[in-house]
Amino acid sequence: MTPSEAAKRAKLPSLTGLRFFAALLVFFFHSSLTDSPIPPNAPINPFADASIADGFSTAFSKAGYLGVSFFFVLSGFVLAWASRPGERVTAFLRRRLLKIFPNHVVVFTAAMILFAGAAVTSVADWLPNLLLLHTWFPQASVNLSVNPPSWSLGSELLFYVLFPLLIVPIRKIGERRCGCGAA
């Protein structure tokens, strides 16, 4: 595949646009919660009428799981589709890390200044969050520290580290064996 063919193949706007619907499912899930999972655990459902709130919660109680799962599968497909054969692992990881870490550090810093710092978060609790390793800790003081939604970035980081190990054997499958090529 020539570089221009790879560049053409890498553009998948219709699939990339599906991320909006995955994010919308996650939004509806979070707005359906009757109690926030993050202390102080206050209700966050936007409906004052209990019957409407219960119906909304029932309708969207699993939407977040579906949205996140879909987003991760879609991201994996797009990564595999756009991957560059022969690219060095270090170059791939550098590109991926530069995509997530700068924004993460900005949000982490803002959260430390605005929220976590007020509770005097210990280094043992916030350092794993900064390094996106907090999802590996079963303690709520660590995995919910500073910026709880960044758990998805911790998962994404794991996928990025595993991707170079998985794409090589996947490429060896070949089009005929996977059913994606002409017979």
Side-chain angles (χ1 to χ4, degrees):
M1 182 183 315
T2 67
S4 64
E5 288 172 334
K8 285 180 187 175
R9 184 175 184 187
K11 295 178 183 175
L12 297 170
S14 58
L15 290 181
T16 303
L18 290 174
R19 293 184 301 174
F20 168 78
F21 295 104
L24 193 60
L25 288 173
V26 172
F27 172 78
F28 284 142
F29 165 75
H30 280 283
S31 52
S32 76
L33 295 175
T34 54
D35 285 316
S36 170
I38 303 165
N41 305 100
I44 58 175
N45 189 303
F47 300 103
D49 184 306
S51 63
I52 294 174
D54 288 343
F56 187 76
S57 182
T58 300
F60 291 106
S61 65
K62 304 295 184 239
Y65 304 105
L66 179 65
V68 169
S69 299
F70 179 72
F71 182 83
F72 283 148
V73 169
L74 180 64
S75 295
F77 177 80
V78 171
L79 264 180
W81 182 267
S83 67
R84 303 170 184 171
E87 180 180 32
R88 291 187 339 266
V89 172
T90 54
F92 169 79
L93 290 174
R94 184 179 335 108
R95 276 189 309 115
R96 298 284 100 196
L97 292 176
L98 286 173
K99 184 173 180 142
I100 62 173
F101 262 101
N103 289 333
H104 168 64
V105 170
V106 168
V107 172
F108 175 89
T109 303
M112 281 294 281
I113 292 168
L114 298 172
F115 306 113
V120 189
T121 307
S122 74
V123 174
D125 289 343
W126 65 255
L127 186 59
N129 188 293
L130 177 63
L131 301 174
L132 293 177
L133 300 174
H134 59 299
T135 57
W136 296 97
F137 290 81
Q139 301 87 3
S141 64
V142 177
N143 65 35
L144 293 176
S145 70
V146 188
N147 180 17
S150 66
W151 72 266
S152 64
L153 293 178
S155 298
E156 199 171 332
L157 180 63
L158 173 66
F159 299 152
Y160 290 160
V161 169
L162 293 176
F163 183 79
L165 303 172
L166 297 173
I167 193 65
V168 173
I170 288 171
R171 282 195 182 119
K172 290 181 181 178
I173 292 173
E175 289 183 0
R176 287 181 184 238
R177 289 185 58 203
C178 74
C180 49

